[in-house]
Amino acid sequence: MAQILIVDDDHQLRMSFERLLAAEGFEVRTASSGEAGIAAVREEAPDVVIMDVRMPGISGLEAYAAMREIEPRLPVIIMTAYGTTDIAIEATKMGAFDYILKPFDIPDILKLIDKAIAAGRSMRSRVAVGEEGEQALAADAIIGRSPAMQELYKAIGRAAPTDATVLIRGESGTGKELVARAVYQHSLRADKPFLVINCVAIPETLLESELFGYEKGAFTGATGRKVGKIEQANHGTVFLDEIGDMPLPIQAKILRLLQEQNVERLGGRQVIPVDVRIIAATNRDLEEAVRRGQFREDLYYRLKVVSLTLPPLRERPSDIPLLVRYFMARYGREMSQPDPGVSEAAMALFTANPWPGNVRELGNTVKKAFIFNRGAPLGPDEVQKATGEPLRNGDLAALTTGDALADFVRRQLGSGRESLFEELMDHFGQLVIREALEATGGNRTQASKLLGLSRPTLIAKIEKYGLRIESRVRDSRS
Ligand SMILES: Nc1ncnc2c1ncn2[C@@H]1O[C@H](COP(=O)(O)OP(=O)(O)OP(=O)(O)O)[C@@H](O)[C@H]1O
Ligand SMILES: [Mg+2]
């Protein structure tokens, strides 16, 4: 369970935060001053801190500086009012995770907290490289004994303790992000921050300002200064995920960062020296992208000097049983249930045919089989059920063409109702969520995993639809 520390002199605010976050399954600590907050960080090692900027005694900014001394990898969210955003911006320049303006909406702060927890976890939750058993389970682990994986472990060991830029290549779901974290954790900067930027997840227009920041008035809508992630990660490591999809103008700026170790905010005239190590990853064929003019050749050569390539799972089938057993033990632990083990017949299904995906797909399938499993050990039926059939267009078409549903939709389209689309989507949404809750005995954490929704999204929908399902299983945040 994640522990959150609230630092604010406002008693009322601390109380309501405590109630809200406890209901969300967090462990909450509070402190009424910067001084008490610093002591709590030292003694309790929280996962996330949410702190007001303006308090009697030392300010939030001073308190942040002290907390950063104690633990530079601690995500701190600064709360600020309109008049004091300058202080909050100053804090992000020093490395604070983000800031939020008071008054804020609850869903916004919950989303930010989830992001901060994930960021803190990726820095501080250890990645075990090539370990097995208890040591692997106590951490996130890169599992595999095949020769290709052993080569990879050696290469990680060689690349990590240098300050060199590292390029990680491999198909989707082969473990690039795990390897990036392993490199960081074994580096000289292991006790400094590690910031992840996903170049695909952020819209192209925002990526540049996210990375480099901007000055007030740099473009319409730039109402204040924003500190970029690269500046925020000073002295630490920045992980540029999916760099193969980075737009060309931003590639040019990254090249300059690598060559000159400085950045300029958008619309700024000041050259800001930064000291960051870059780790990049991609599942793209970069050589092909260079040929097509989609990736800068000079950046490509600069990046590939130290590269780590992850083998796809089909090139190391001997690792599959090890991975299956690891995932079973791990989900058992996550769901506070005993690991029922895997029958020979079930294991045969995982290993008989070339596995049609990488480690991510294997993990997802084992997770579903674990959820469906009602006995011990895991049998072939559960595996088959979990593997399922891929969702083909034909399956859905058979359900929806030429029948009552299409007629119904056609009639409704003529009805002129405004929210028709949403009503129909909600209808299907309810059906799917009800089934998922049914399959998991009302466990919302597991149901969200089955559906590929975040837990807050699922809960919001359950509330929207007014679904009431009795929980058979203890529901815990994992
Ligand atoms: N060797 C491994 N041992 C254990 N778990 C692994 C291994 N490789 C990948 N995983 C797990 O598989 C999932 C996908 O891994 P990861 O996110 O690192 O893949 P990726 O290569 O970054 O994929 P993408 O290109 O889609 O971003 C994660 O849950 C990760 O923990
Ligand atoms: Mg990835």
Side-chain angles (χ1 to χ4, degrees):
M1 200 184 349
Q3 198 199 99
I4 300 178
L5 171 67
I6 310 291
V7 187
D8 200 311
D9 56 319
D10 180 342
H11 176 74
Q12 201 60 41
L13 186 135
R14 289 199 307 273
M15 296 293 285
S16 47
F17 246 132
E18 199 162 11
R19 218 172 308 123
L20 167 76
L21 296 179
E24 285 293 317
F26 294 112
E27 199 180 312
V28 189
R29 294 275 180 282
T30 60
S32 58
S33 69
E35 289 87 343
I38 297 165
V41 165
R42 190 173 289 124
E43 283 149 29
E44 319 246 358
D47 295 292
V48 171
V49 175
I50 305 173
M51 178 160 63
D52 192 15
V53 276
R54 200 178 245 168
M55 293 175 288
I58 64 166
S59 70
L61 193 62
E62 288 169 278
Y64 172 68
M67 289 173 182
R68 194 182 158 83
E69 281 287 304
I70 299 167
E71 173 51 286
R73 299 168 303 171
L74 170 64
V76 176
I77 297 169
I78 302 286
M79 290 184 286
T80 180
Y82 271 105
T84 51
T85 47
D86 278 358
I87 306 176
I89 292 166
E90 202 56 35
T92 50
K93 214 154 91 184
M94 290 162 62
F97 183 74
D98 209 338
Y99 65 87
I100 188 159
L101 281 177
K102 282 191 198 177
F104 42 77
D105 290 332
I106 289 170
D108 289 344
I109 188 84
L110 289 179
K111 223 184 281 165
L112 197 54
I113 290 172
D114 275 343
K115 264 168 73 179
I117 289 174
R121 209 170 263 170
S122 82
M123 291 183 232
R124 292 196 283 171
S125 167
R126 196 174 75 91
V127 177
V129 179
E131 292 172 27
E132 288 174 25
E134 205 39 49
Q135 269 143 323
L137 281 175
D140 295 325
I142 305 178
I143 300 287
R145 275 184 217 160
S146 55
M149 289 305 280
Q150 297 199 20
E151 277 310 309
L152 176 73
Y153 304 153
K154 281 185 221 155
I156 292 174
R158 280 191 302 267
T162 68
D163 243 351
T165 304
V166 177
L167 175 65
I168 303 167
R169 313 181 67 172
E171 292 175 12
S172 184
T174 47
K176 294 187 292 298
E177 184 160 351
L178 278 180
V179 169
R181 287 171 54 204
V183 169
Y184 154 69
Q185 292 179 1
H186 290 89
S187 77
L188 308 167
R189 297 167 184 253
D191 57 353
K192 299 289 189 304
F194 172 75
L195 288 193
V196 182
I197 304 278
N198 189 315
C199 303
V200 195
I202 302 172
E204 188 172 331
T205 45
L206 290 185
L207 183 60
E208 190 172 8
S209 60
E210 189 75 17
L211 284 168
F212 299 97
Y214 52 77
E215 293 294 344
K216 184 174 176 170
F219 46 85
T220 349
T223 50
R225 168 185 288 172
K226 183 185 155 79
V227 176
K229 290 281 180 213
I230 293 172
E231 208 182 324
Q232 214 178 338
N234 203 6
H235 304 305
T237 305
V238 172
F239 174 37
L240 297 174
D241 203 358
E242 319 279 7
I243 197 169
D245 297 81
M246 181 181 271
L248 282 162
I250 306 183
Q251 291 176 26
K253 291 195 159 187
I254 293 295
L255 182 67
R256 170 180 153 179
L257 165 70
L258 292 175
Q259 285 169 340
E260 298 170 26
Q261 274 102 45
N262 61 48
V263 291
E264 268 173 59
R265 300 191 192 118
L266 271 73
R269 262 174 254 130
Q270 194 192 349
V271 174
I272 302 162
V274 285
D275 163 31
V276 292
R277 181 193 202 180
I278 301 287
I279 301 176
T282 185
N283 55 20
R284 288 276 165 118
D285 178 347
L286 282 188
E287 289 77 9
E288 176 67 19
V290 168
R291 270 195 298 278
R292 291 180 174 199
Q294 293 162 344
F295 202 83
R296 289 182 69 109
E297 193 167 12
D298 44 10
L299 181 58
Y300 164 71
Y301 281 113
R302 188 80 221 266
L303 288 174
K304 78 162 201 169
V305 176
V306 181
S307 48
L308 303 173
T309 303
L310 275 73
L313 197 49
R314 65 181 172 281
E315 285 175 15
R316 51 182 191 108
S318 63
D319 284 335
I320 289 180
L322 201 64
L323 280 160
V324 169
R325 277 190 286 268
Y326 163 73
F327 284 126
M328 287 297 286
R330 181 164 171 177
Y331 299 138
R333 182 167 296 206
E334 271 179 25
M335 299 177 199
S336 314
Q337 282 167 30
D339 170 7
V342 183
S343 71
E344 254 175 63
M347 190 61 92
L349 287 178
F350 285 116
T351 53
N353 301 306
W355 176 258
N358 280 309
V359 184
R360 177 182 289 122
E361 288 83 355
L362 184 66
N364 286 341
T365 303
V366 174
K367 185 187 294 176
K368 283 188 190 164
F370 193 107
I371 292 173
F372 291 137
N373 190 45
R374 293 276 175 253
L378 187 72
D381 289 352
E382 285 83 26
V383 177
Q384 239 141 15
K385 203 166 154 198
T387 315
E389 286 167 51
L391 190 63
R392 283 165 310 187
N393 278 335
D395 298 341
L396 283 175
L399 282 174
T400 50
T401 48
D403 65 357
L405 183 60
D407 287 344
F408 173 77
V409 171
R410 230 169 279 132
R411 277 202 310 280
Q412 293 294 323
L413 282 174
S415 75
R417 275 224 306 291
E418 270 176 19
S419 54
L420 181 62
F421 182 80
E422 199 174 340
E423 282 174 46
L424 289 174
M425 291 303 130
D426 283 351
H427 180 80
F428 284 110
Q430 263 189 60
L431 188 103
V432 173
I433 289 173
R434 202 187 291 278
E435 287 300 320
L437 287 168
E438 195 61 42
T440 57
N443 185 310
R444 296 181 298 181
T445 304
Q446 292 186 4
S448 69
K449 286 180 178 163
L450 271 186
L451 292 170
L453 289 176
S454 75
R455 194 172 173 279
T457 306
L458 178 68
I459 290 172
K461 291 200 186 294
I462 290 173
E463 275 166 20
K464 178 176 180 191
Y465 303 150
L467 296 176
R468 222 173 290 132
I469 309 276
E470 292 304 310
S471 175
R472 276 194 274 124
V473 192
R474 196 170 67 82
D475 203 356
S476 67
R477 250 177 195 273
S478 58

